[in-house]
Amino acid sequence: MMTKKTISASRASLILFLCQMITALEVPLDPILLKELSQPPTITQQSPKDYIVDPRENIVIQCEAKGKPPPSFSWTRNGTHFDIDKDARVTVKPNSGTLVINIMNGGKAEAYEGVYQCTARNERGAAISNNIVIRPSRSPLWTKEKVEPKHVREGDPLVLHCSPPVGLPPPIIFWMDNSFQRLPQNERVSQGLNGDLYFSNVKPEDTREDYICYARFNHTQTIQQKQPISVKVFSMDSLNETISANLSDTDFYGAKPLTERRPTLLTPVGSTSNKVELRGNVLLLECIAEGLPTPVVRWIKEGGELPINRTFFENFKKTLKIIEVSEADSGKYKCVARNPLGSTHHTITVTVKAAPYWITAPRNLVLSPGEDGTLICRANGNPKPNISWLTNAVPIAIAPEDPSRKVDGDTIIFSDVQERSSAVYQCNASNEYGYLLANAFVNVLAEPPRILTPANKLYQVIANNPALLDCAFFGSPVPEIEWFKGVKGSILHGDLYVFHDNGTLEIPVAQKDSTGTYTCVARNKLGNVQNEVHLEVKDPTMIIKQPEYKIIQRGGQVSFECTIKHDPTLIPTITWLKNNGELPDDERFIIHKDSLAIMNITDKDDGTYTCVANTTLDSVSASAVLTVVDRPNPPFDLELTDQLERSIQLSWIPGYDNNSPITNFVIEYEDGMHEPGVWHYQTEVRGTQTTVQLKLSPYVNYSFRVIAVNEIGRSQPSEASEQYLTKAANPDENPSGVQGIGSEPDNLVIIWEPLKGFQSNGPGLQYKVSWRQKDVGDEWTSVIVANVSKYIVSGTPTFVPYEMKVQALNDLGYAPEPAEVIGHSGEDLPMVAPGNVQVHTVNSTLAKVHWDPIPLKTVRGHLQGYRIYYWKVQSLSKRRRRHVEKKILTFSGNKTHGMLPGLEPYSSYKLNVRVVNGKGEGPASPDRLFKTPEGVPSSPSFLKITNPTLDSLTLEWGPPTHPNGVLIAYTLKFQPINSTHELGPLVEIRIPANETSLILSNLNYSTRYKFYFYAQTSVGSGSQITEEAVTIMDEGKLAMASRQVDIATQGWFIGLMCAVALLILILLIVCFIRRNKGGKYPVKEKEDAHADPEIQPMKEDDGTFGEYSDAEDHKPLKKGSRTPSDRTVKKEDSDDSLVDYGEGVNGQFNEDGSFIGQYSGKKEKEPAEGNESSEAPSPVNAMNSFV
């Protein structure tokens, strides 16, 4: 689960300050202001009304006050002036009214008991303290008394009285023994509010000699103890012996038998009582009853309900406690004590009185001359208190008159006050239960406005939160406050702002445009003053990527992301918490900038992780829960019940699921008798099930264990259960997998799967093996064997069917009758070969073979099929024998024909057929000779082109490696290729089969040709081989190019070109000067750029053209050939495709599997060899071709 929380850090502090300012307007709190303004005295600190002092220490009676000028102090004691200077033990603290009475050196606190009152006075009035009653604490000892032993009969009630001495304050009572151990208390034995120890009924174990009551006086830190009380309880069994041996009949109440009795109350006595309690105190009501059995106490309020949240029961419900009682708690409270024999009750009438308490206490008034005001003093109580007024510690009735005031009961009304009206007034509200005294001054001042808030104070808030801008002020009369925004802003008003009485300006929802300077102006009739404050509204901090709920397996790792966005002027800090506390001090917790990583997770890491982003102005948080899961803990407390011969009930308690519900339980068992230490699967049940009924086998020493499974995996196995041994019995089942086969022609091997140990059902496991020949009427032959899983029957006929069965037995008897199984005795090799073998050739590579099946009785075993042996005798085209490699094909079952694939065309083959059974092959049929017809040939073994001339090329080739028949001819196809690699017209020539070369004439000079060449038999054409070649250049063209070169390299021609260039340069200079722009015209660069391409420099070393140097002879051409230097091309070297020339040829397969369509052309970007080129005829090409 994920939560998000935003807190405005400034709002709480500003509201608190606002509340302080509202109460401080009447009495300025600014230290500088207080130094300047006159102010009547105000009591700031005084001792409590009822002041109990420690007689061992000095007495300090506090009285502190403030005022301007600083007040002077005086004291009264018991209503008369207390002259401090006449008592050397009494001093006053400097600048204070606090009295210090030194009783450490021989003084007695009792001498200073009394009622003290402090008066603080200056020129503007006098304030008085409460009446402080000083009493020293007392912790007297117990009076000496003789404590008689208590002899009580078992079952009777008993009260041990404590009666502690009266102390001041009253002591705390408790009962202990001599070892300072508290005596145990319960519903039967308990201590009352008065300190007595009550026994509802006693038991023999209550007998002891050290019941001691202790009184602890906290004020003096002393403990007093009473004399130990001895209690002896007589049991009814020994009572008669005790009476006869030690007591007379008059020494005891009578030896009546122990009988039960109905409850009666030990305290309070009677049926009714009254209780008065003061408002605000704690009401304690008590009822302690005796009876046998021990009564139980219950409380009710008649005509109403006990107050909720203020009612508590103590002392085993014998005490009713109601805190902060009010008049509404008055009424009748009934306690009812009940046991099985009856009940009793007591009604307590509670009356709640009230000492005076304030409704409206008088508050200080700061008035300007001519103003009006009121002092109100309203109090309540039961009975209703009397209100009396004093002025400057003098009853107002005898005080000097002031025309500006009028007393009206609990209110004093002031009108048109003057500076002489300043005074301190005391209001006293009193009744019989106490009094209240309050000082409130009237301070008449004429002061111009003052602003107490520091100038240029900067306030920063988060957008969309309230902004509270302070303007703490003082003035008399009270100034009016106005707010402005900006330098020339108008007065602020309207619903967008809230103006508080203490001058604070509140912007309930501050926005970014609320940023700026605000001016506060305070005015009264004596002047005005202003102050500027500044407000900055910041963007809120946000968590834009929150941590997400994670489920992680124990031992894994997890990462919680926490990416925040914040105001750029604020510096955030990110803190990670776990379960709202600090992260564990563990190196597995790694905090990154925007994430928290936890490595190697354990169970303790489970919990809620919170990312808290804090700035100086706000705080945001986001939480995510990490659930740590793992495989379940193993089950425990395995128990076996309902133990029967063939079943038992297993129950267990699941282990902790590690936060991943258990889906199922797996039950395993161990056979401690037959396979100790090996556990087997028994069954499994749903994860909600903790009990299972298990089926058992006889004669097994069972132990069980349980494994819990959840989505994470399997738990460790539980501890093993107790062992349970089942009784032995006959076997329930027979061996499985019974078979009968022969290992030799004259035997029968009977095999079976033996029973496992727990399947034996008892000791002495054996097997009864029975067999007989099928369909011949023989009797069963049987044998009993042990500790084996096969039996061999010898002397059987070859391959005949047998019926057999294997039955289990042990010392207690046989298993049920087993099922019969059919088997065969041993096989022998087949006796005869298949006859009438016929061969029919389907095509040049496939033949079909037929044969007649042999009689089944001659198979002498399980017929597995027929096997054909075949081999190639010779190729009819080559007329030579080759190494004989026999091939084998097996046809399963009782087939009488089969196909022979993959034969070589135009060849002679032989074959024979044999029958196969489980023992092996029978004799072969006579060899059968057959021939395959012709097929298409493979490609010629090579094709090379030699002796190129201007118009002819010579072709040479080798016959196909696999002619696959009689060759009848060769076919040659060729076509020219121009400079753009386009193919010209295709020419076809048929060549006799006995030829191995050919001269092609009437070709074009300097032209590239592509050739396609293949062989033919009577069946068809074979695979082709391709090649490319180029005719040489015409010599006349070469001579013309040579003459052109000669003219271009003549000296006169070069000189003429230089003169023309010089003339052009001069003309350009003239033009340049005429333009008069100071630039330069690149005549030489333009000349070089537009030079005549026919004019080329001549190399001095060899007289050749610079452009056509020898280095050019080895540059790559656009299209070349892979033809080697001897002009021969072999098939296996050819790997190009006609696609390079724009005529892709799809490869096809002949019947013999050879591929058609390969040729030996050269790819475009490979370097050319020799003088072959696909460029158009030119003198340069012609010349290069002869290099």
Side-chain angles (χ1 to χ4, degrees):
M1 180 179 291
M2 195 177 306
T3 61
K4 187 174 181 181
K5 183 179 180 183
T6 305
I7 304 170
S8 175
S10 62
R11 178 160 176 82
S13 60
L14 287 177
I15 290 176
L16 178 61
F17 181 72
L18 176 63
C19 295
Q20 292 173 342
M21 289 302 298
I22 291 174
T23 59
L25 279 177
E26 298 175 353
V27 182
L29 298 179
D30 184 81
I32 298 177
L33 187 62
L34 289 176
K35 290 180 180 179
E36 298 177 357
L37 297 177
S38 296
Q39 180 179 328
T42 300
I43 301 292
T44 59
Q45 192 172 5
Q46 58 184 317
S47 293
K49 294 178 181 179
D50 191 8
Y51 187 18
I52 299 175
V53 299
D54 190 337
R56 299 168 299 179
E57 298 179 354
N58 291 337
I59 301 173
V60 178
I61 310 175
Q62 289 185 330
C63 180
E64 304 289 342
K66 65 179 181 178
K68 178 67 176 179
S72 61
F73 296 90
S74 63
W75 285 88
T76 63
R77 177 183 176 189
N78 297 327
T80 61
H81 177 68
F82 183 39
D83 192 349
I84 299 172
D85 295 334
K86 292 184 178 181
D87 193 333
R89 295 185 180 275
V90 181
T91 58
V92 180
K93 288 186 177 181
N95 302 318
S96 169
T98 299
L99 293 181
V100 178
I101 304 174
N102 185 357
I103 60 172
M104 299 295 292
N105 298 319
K108 292 185 177 181
E110 290 81 0
Y112 292 93
E113 286 190 61
V115 179
Y116 292 78
Q117 189 173 43
C118 169
T119 302
R121 187 184 307 272
N122 69 8
E123 61 188 29
R124 285 193 168 254
I128 59 176
S129 71
N130 291 321
N131 289 325
I132 303 171
V133 180
I134 301 296
R135 294 184 297 170
S137 65
R138 298 180 178 87
S139 53
L141 298 175
W142 255 285
T143 57
K144 291 187 176 181
E145 59 177 333
K146 183 178 180 181
V147 180
E148 297 292 337
K150 301 291 184 181
H151 299 276
V152 60
R153 185 177 61 175
E154 179 183 2
D156 286 352
L158 174 66
V159 180
L160 299 182
H161 298 285
C162 180
S163 304
V166 177
L168 185 67
I172 297 173
I173 306 300
F174 52 94
W175 290 80
M176 294 195 299
D177 59 15
N178 277 331
S179 301
F180 297 99
Q181 299 296 317
R182 283 186 179 270
L183 295 175
Q185 298 189 26
N186 48 46
E187 290 183 347
R188 185 178 63 85
V189 182
S190 60
Q191 177 183 316
L193 293 176
N194 62 355
D196 293 346
L197 189 63
Y198 293 87
F199 294 77
S200 294
N201 51 78
V202 296
K203 294 183 177 181
E205 56 261 32
D206 296 328
T207 298
R208 63 189 310 148
E209 297 181 353
D210 55 352
Y211 285 93
I212 306 174
C213 180
Y214 288 86
R216 184 173 65 200
F217 298 89
N218 284 342
H219 215 78
T220 58
Q221 297 295 312
T222 58
I223 296 178
Q224 308 288 357
Q225 83 172 60
K226 188 175 183 175
Q227 291 292 325
I229 301 175
S230 174
V231 174
K232 175 130 178 114
V233 178
F234 292 92
S235 66
M236 295 305 298
D237 294 336
S238 61
L239 187 57
N240 293 328
E241 298 177 3
T242 305
I243 292 174
S244 61
N246 301 311
L247 300 174
S248 66
D249 293 340
T250 60
D251 289 333
F252 204 77
Y253 299 109
K256 297 180 181 179
L258 180 64
T259 58
E260 296 181 346
R261 64 186 180 278
R262 62 182 299 166
T264 59
L265 288 175
L266 296 175
T267 184
V269 296
S271 60
T272 62
S273 61
N274 297 303
K275 172 80 173 179
V276 176
E277 190 58 76
L278 293 183
R279 180 180 183 270
N281 287 353
V282 176
L283 174 65
L284 293 174
L285 304 178
E286 179 181 58
C287 277
I288 300 178
E290 62 90 9
L292 188 67
T294 302
V296 175
V297 177
R298 183 170 61 90
W299 290 89
I300 58 174
K301 182 180 182 183
E302 294 183 358
E305 298 289 336
L306 296 174
I308 302 174
N309 299 328
R310 295 189 294 116
T311 300
F312 303 91
F313 297 100
E314 296 180 346
N315 197 21
F316 310 100
K317 294 188 177 181
K318 299 174 186 179
T319 302
L320 172 65
K321 176 180 179 182
I322 300 177
I323 63 174
E324 298 178 3
V325 294
S326 64
E327 290 84 344
D329 295 322
S330 297
K332 294 184 177 182
Y333 293 81
K334 179 185 288 187
C335 68
V336 179
R338 185 184 303 275
N339 72 3
L341 276 72
S343 65
T344 187
H345 68 271
H346 183 91
T347 301
I348 305 172
T349 301
V350 174
T351 302
V352 177
K353 299 292 185 176
Y357 56 92
W358 288 119
I359 296 176
T360 304
R363 300 176 64 182
N364 296 330
L365 280 180
V366 178
L367 301 175
S368 61
E371 286 189 335
D372 303 334
T374 58
L375 285 179
I376 300 174
C377 178
R378 289 178 184 163
N380 201 359
N382 186 10
K384 188 173 181 64
N386 295 318
I387 303 295
S388 62
W389 288 96
L390 297 86
T391 178
N392 294 330
V394 176
I396 201 166
I398 62 175
E401 291 188 4
D402 185 351
S404 65
R405 74 175 179 235
K406 178 183 178 182
V407 179
D408 184 9
D410 60 6
T411 303
I412 300 179
I413 302 171
F414 297 91
S415 59
D416 192 20
V417 296
Q418 303 301 319
E419 285 198 35
R420 67 176 180 272
S421 301
S422 296
V424 181
Y425 291 84
Q426 290 83 35
C427 172
N428 187 304
S430 61
N431 65 11
E432 61 186 283
Y433 297 107
Y435 74 94
L436 291 174
L437 178 67
N439 291 275
F441 64 69
V442 176
N443 196 13
V444 182
L445 297 172
E447 292 290 333
R450 306 188 188 195
I451 295 180
L452 308 181
T453 300
N456 295 312
K457 186 175 181 180
L458 175 63
Y459 294 89
Q460 294 179 325
V461 298
I462 295 298
N464 300 317
N465 283 298
L468 298 172
L469 309 182
D470 296 330
C471 184
F473 64 90
F474 179 77
S476 183
V478 176
E480 294 181 357
I481 303 297
E482 293 178 333
W483 281 93
F484 300 85
K485 182 182 180 184
V487 178
K488 298 181 180 180
S490 59
I491 186 170
L492 299 180
H493 56 81
D495 297 336
L496 297 178
Y497 305 96
V498 177
F499 302 94
H500 293 276
D501 292 340
N502 66 347
T504 297
L505 170 66
E506 179 180 357
I507 306 174
V509 183
Q511 302 294 335
K512 294 289 284 186
D513 57 4
S514 302
T515 299
T517 300
Y518 292 79
T519 303
C520 164
V521 178
R523 291 188 179 90
N524 68 10
K525 64 184 180 181
L526 299 178
N528 66 75
V529 66
Q530 69 180 35
N531 186 40
E532 289 185 351
V533 295
H534 307 282
L535 174 63
E536 292 181 357
V537 181
K538 307 290 187 179
D539 290 327
T541 305
M542 295 184 294
I543 298 178
I544 58 178
K545 184 155 185 73
Q546 301 182 353
E548 298 178 348
Y549 175 71
K550 302 282 187 179
I551 300 177
I552 304 296
Q553 185 174 354
R554 183 166 50 195
Q557 62 185 46
V558 69
S559 177
F560 291 110
E561 294 187 74
C562 183
T563 304
I564 67 169
K565 180 182 179 183
H566 61 91
D567 191 284
T569 62
L570 299 177
I571 300 176
T573 59
I574 296 180
T575 305
W576 285 92
L577 305 176
K578 178 186 177 184
N579 296 331
N580 294 324
E582 293 184 357
L583 287 180
D585 185 12
D586 193 329
E587 60 183 8
R588 298 182 299 107
F589 289 77
I590 303 171
I591 299 177
H592 301 289
K593 178 182 177 183
D594 296 326
S595 64
L596 167 66
I598 309 175
M599 317 302 291
N600 192 22
I601 287 176
T602 67
D603 293 336
K604 295 181 180 179
D605 299 329
D606 201 273
T608 300
Y609 290 84
T610 303
C611 164
V612 182
N614 290 305
T615 67
T616 55
L617 298 180
D618 66 345
S619 175
V620 293
S621 64
S623 300
V625 174
L626 170 62
T627 300
V628 180
V629 299
D630 201 0
R631 298 181 300 171
N633 292 348
F636 57 94
D637 283 355
L638 273 65
E639 183 180 5
L640 297 177
T641 56
D642 298 343
Q643 299 174 354
L644 303 175
E645 291 186 4
R646 292 295 183 102
S647 68
I648 197 170
Q649 180 171 286
L650 172 66
S651 58
W652 62 90
I653 298 176
Y656 180 52
D657 63 5
N658 288 315
N659 296 320
S660 179
I662 296 174
T663 57
N664 56 292
F665 292 99
V666 177
I667 293 89
E668 297 181 340
Y669 72 91
E670 175 197 27
D671 182 359
M673 181 184 301
H674 303 99
E675 293 180 290
V678 180
W679 290 90
H680 302 275
Y681 173 85
Q682 172 89 7
T683 186
E684 62 183 87
V685 297
R686 297 188 307 273
T688 57
Q689 192 171 332
T690 58
T691 302
V692 64
Q693 198 76 18
L694 301 175
K695 293 183 178 180
L696 306 180
S697 296
Y699 199 56
V700 176
N701 193 13
Y702 281 101
S703 291
F704 299 97
R705 69 183 187 184
V706 183
I707 299 171
V709 182
N710 63 11
E711 290 186 356
I712 309 303
R714 294 162 63 101
S715 72
Q716 292 294 321
S718 68
E719 295 291 332
S721 70
E722 60 180 308
Q723 291 186 334
Y724 179 63
L725 177 63
T726 55
K727 295 181 179 180
N730 295 5
D732 292 327
E733 52 189 310
N734 289 302
S736 61
V738 178
Q739 298 182 53
I741 56 176
S743 60
E744 298 294 337
D746 60 349
N747 73 7
L748 172 65
V749 180
I750 303 173
I751 60 175
W752 61 90
E753 288 289 335
L755 297 181
K756 295 181 180 179
F758 74 91
Q759 294 175 309
S760 65
N761 287 6
L765 177 64
Q766 294 177 303
Y767 302 100
K768 179 182 179 182
V769 184
S770 304
W771 68 91
R772 67 181 177 185
Q773 190 172 340
K774 190 175 182 299
D775 300 331
V776 296
D778 289 350
E779 293 294 329
W780 288 96
T781 303
S782 300
V783 65
I784 293 178
V785 296
N787 300 321
V788 296
S789 59
K790 70 176 181 178
Y791 182 78
I792 300 175
V793 180
S794 302
T796 63
T798 301
F799 197 67
V800 295
Y802 276 85
E803 295 175 323
M804 64 204 78
K805 56 186 177 181
V806 180
Q807 186 177 25
L809 66 151
N810 61 18
D811 292 349
L812 280 78
Y814 285 87
E817 185 67 23
E820 298 175 6
V821 176
I822 304 299
H824 288 80
S825 58
E827 299 180 70
D828 204 349
L829 295 176
M831 300 173 61
V832 298
N836 193 23
V837 177
Q838 302 291 330
V839 182
H840 171 65
T841 55
V842 178
N843 55 38
S844 60
T845 61
L846 182 66
K848 185 174 184 181
V849 183
H850 291 266
W851 61 87
D852 291 339
I854 68 172
L856 289 179
K857 63 180 181 178
T858 63
V859 176
R860 297 203 295 181
H862 295 286
L863 176 62
Q864 295 185 355
Y866 292 86
R867 189 168 292 160
I868 300 177
Y869 286 79
Y870 66 99
W871 61 94
K872 182 179 176 181
V873 178
Q874 67 177 16
S875 174
L876 298 178
S877 60
K878 297 182 180 179
R879 299 297 181 184
R880 62 182 178 85
R881 293 185 176 274
R882 54 176 287 177
H883 172 69
V884 175
E885 179 184 353
K886 288 189 176 182
K887 296 182 180 180
I888 304 172
L889 279 179
T890 301
F891 299 92
S892 301
N894 196 18
K895 282 195 172 183
T896 59
H897 64 277
M899 306 295 288
L900 300 181
L903 304 177
E904 294 185 12
Y906 205 53
S907 299
S908 176
Y909 281 88
K910 283 187 178 181
L911 64 79
N912 59 52
V913 184
R914 311 177 192 201
V915 68
V916 182
N917 66 8
K919 190 71 173 177
E921 297 177 351
S925 66
D927 292 346
R928 185 77 175 177
L929 180 66
F930 68 97
K931 298 178 181 178
T932 56
E934 290 186 78
V936 295
S938 62
S939 62
S941 56
F942 68 87
L943 174 64
K944 63 181 180 178
I945 304 173
T946 59
N947 301 326
T949 65
L950 287 174
D951 61 354
S952 68
L953 293 169
T954 301
L955 279 67
E956 298 178 358
W957 62 86
T961 305
H962 300 286
N964 294 336
V966 177
L967 296 180
I968 59 174
Y970 293 99
T971 298
L972 174 66
K973 297 179 182 179
F974 63 94
Q975 57 191 147
I977 305 173
N978 64 15
S979 59
T980 60
H981 306 297
E982 294 178 350
L983 299 174
L986 187 64
V987 179
E988 181 176 335
I989 302 175
R990 189 175 178 84
I991 304 170
N994 57 352
E995 297 291 340
T996 59
S997 64
L998 175 67
I999 298 176
L1000 285 177
S1001 303
N1002 299 323
L1003 302 176
N1004 296 328
Y1005 65 87
S1006 189
T1007 301
R1008 178 178 293 275
Y1009 287 91
K1010 186 166 186 178
F1011 299 92
Y1012 312 91
F1013 191 68
Y1014 53 86
Q1016 292 175 299
T1017 64
S1018 59
V1019 176
S1021 301
S1023 304
Q1024 67 180 8
I1025 187 171
T1026 62
E1027 181 56 270
E1028 294 182 11
V1030 182
T1031 56
I1032 64 176
M1033 180 176 283
D1034 187 2
E1035 294 180 357
K1037 295 285 185 178
L1038 180 62
M1040 184 181 299
S1042 177
R1043 286 195 297 273
Q1044 291 175 356
V1045 173
D1046 291 341
I1047 295 172
T1049 57
Q1050 295 300 314
W1052 63 270
F1053 183 77
I1054 297 173
L1056 177 61
M1057 292 297 103
C1058 290
V1060 172
L1062 180 61
L1063 180 59
I1064 293 173
L1065 177 61
I1066 293 172
L1067 290 175
L1068 292 175
I1069 293 172
V1070 172
C1071 292
F1072 170 72
I1073 293 173
R1074 288 176 65 86
R1075 292 180 59 175
N1076 195 23
K1077 291 187 178 180
K1080 294 183 180 180
Y1081 189 78
V1083 177
K1084 184 67 176 70
E1085 293 178 12
K1086 286 182 68 74
E1087 179 184 349
D1088 293 342
H1090 297 86
D1092 191 343
E1094 296 294 332
I1095 303 174
Q1096 299 291 343
M1098 186 174 180
K1099 287 200 172 184
E1100 297 178 357
D1101 53 355
D1102 57 3
T1104 61
F1105 291 104
E1107 182 180 353
Y1108 304 114
S1109 65
D1110 290 340
E1112 295 284 326
D1113 294 341
H1114 303 288
K1115 288 184 178 181
L1117 300 176
K1118 290 185 177 179
K1119 195 69 182 178
S1121 172
R1122 290 192 183 184
T1123 306
S1125 58
D1126 61 357
R1127 312 305 297 160
T1128 62
V1129 178
K1130 294 191 177 180
K1131 177 175 179 284
E1132 42 279 350
D1133 295 332
S1134 176
D1135 58 4
D1136 265 356
S1137 168
L1138 286 177
V1139 175
D1140 290 334
Y1141 298 100
E1143 293 183 0
V1145 178
N1146 293 325
Q1148 299 178 357
F1149 286 91
N1150 283 337
E1151 291 184 9
D1152 63 348
S1154 60
F1155 185 77
I1156 303 173
Q1158 292 186 347
Y1159 70 97
S1160 59
K1162 193 72 174 177
K1163 286 192 174 178
E1164 178 179 331
K1165 294 186 180 180
E1166 295 183 359
E1169 300 179 7
N1171 61 351
E1172 296 182 6
S1173 175
S1174 61
E1175 301 293 333
S1178 70
V1180 178
N1181 286 338
M1183 186 171 64
N1184 281 338
S1185 65
F1186 287 102
V1187 175

